[in-house]
């Protein structure tokens, strides 16, 4: 379907990105892991890692952060790993999808990151504090960004009050994902 949209509208196939929230984030990571030749980067907001749930009980357990092959923040065991650059957002007060899942998602995208991440702490004016951890690849380029939003629940960070499942007090996830996406093109990895 994505390839058809690219062809129909004459889009730049080097700049195709996928992002989502919650179940949409789980689907975004599934697409990025399954089609790394199609997506230049992925945005995962409050979602699950690939391969942790084969049933509804598995999914519910993974959402609460306690069961499945990645419990205890171990990345081994799912067989899934990706070189696709990823930006991950998660609120540390999320009671729908436990925030430990952000570390589990990051572990699946950490295959080419180098030691010594950059950690930045900040706060939105009249809003939530956050911690952004950036990992770079062997070329020194940002490959993985993980944003932990302090005090945020299960909501799109920085979203409008007009929308559902949004939190305007967080950093603007849409803006930050676009910034991250625009710094990655598929041509730099493959075509």
């Amino acid at each position: 379907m994505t390839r058809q949209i690219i062809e129909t509208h004459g889009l730049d196939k080097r700049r195709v990105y996928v992002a989502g929230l919650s179940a949409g984030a789980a689907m975004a990571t599934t697409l990025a892991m399954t089609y790394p030749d199609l997506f230049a980067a992925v945005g995962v907001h409050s979602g699950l890692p690939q391969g942790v749930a084969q049933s509804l009980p598995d999914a519910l357990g993974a959402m609460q952060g306690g069961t499945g092959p990645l419990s205890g923040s171990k990345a081994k065991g799912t067989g899934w790993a990706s070189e696709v650059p990823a930006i991950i957002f998660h609120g540390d007060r999320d009671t729908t999808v436990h925030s430990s899942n952000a570390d589990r998602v990051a572990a699946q995208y950490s295959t080419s990151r180098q030691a010594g991440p950059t950690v930045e702490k900040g706060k939105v004016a009249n809003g939530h504090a956050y911690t952004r951890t950036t990992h770079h690849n062997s070329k020194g380029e940002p490959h993985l960004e993980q944003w932990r939003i302090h005090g945020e629940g299960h909501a799109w960070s920085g979203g409008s009050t007009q929308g559902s499942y949004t939190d305007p007090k967080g950093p603007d996830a849409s803006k930050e994902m676009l910034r991250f996406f625009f710094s990655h093109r598929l041509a730099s990895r493959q075509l």
Side-chain angles (χ1 to χ4, degrees), residues 54-69:
Q54 304 302 318
S55 67
L56 180 57
D58 287 351
L60 293 173
M63 286 170 60
Q64 293 309 307
T67 64

Side-chain angles (χ1 to χ4, degrees), residues 3-183:
R3 287 185 176 100
Q4 182 180 359
I5 291 169
I6 293 167
E7 291 301 318
T8 299
H9 297 285
L11 303 175
D12 183 350
K13 61 185 172 185
R14 296 170 300 170
R15 292 192 176 274
V16 178
Y17 312 98
V18 61
L21 168 71
S22 195
M27 179 53 79
T29 206
T30 295
L31 287 168
M33 295 254 173
T34 307
Y35 301 100
D37 60 322
L38 185 58
F39 296 101
V42 60
V44 180
H45 200 314
S46 308
L48 294 175
Q50 171 65 14
V52 296
Q54 304 302 318
S55 67
L56 180 57
D58 287 351
L60 293 173
M63 286 170 60
Q64 293 309 307
T67 64
L70 296 179
S71 63
S73 296
K74 294 192 297 187
K76 308 287 188 262
T78 65
W80 290 96
S82 181
E83 294 291 325
V84 175
I87 183 168
I88 302 160
F89 281 79
H90 213 117
D92 65 6
R93 296 258 172 103
D94 190 334
T95 59
T96 303
V97 178
H98 194 274
S99 64
S100 64
N101 283 294
D103 294 330
R104 296 171 182 160
V105 171
Q108 291 183 324
Y109 289 101
S110 67
T111 58
S112 69
R113 68 182 177 186
Q114 301 296 304
T118 304
V119 178
E120 172 193 347
K121 293 185 181 280
K123 186 175 186 313
V124 174
N126 300 314
H128 296 301
Y130 61 85
T131 302
R132 177 174 70 168
T133 304
T134 305
H135 299 269
H136 298 82
N137 63 18
S138 60
K139 296 177 185 174
E141 303 162 335
H143 180 77
L144 172 67
E145 274 189 29
Q146 186 173 354
W147 292 70
R148 184 170 311 276
I149 315 306
H150 307 294
E152 185 172 79
H154 193 69
W156 188 269
S157 185
S160 166
T161 56
Q162 304 286 320
S164 57
Y165 298 102
T166 61
D167 185 347
K169 293 182 178 183
D172 188 340
S174 298
K175 176 182 172 187
E176 296 300 335
M177 283 188 189
L178 284 172
R179 174 195 50 78
F180 184 83
F181 290 167
F182 290 156
S183 70

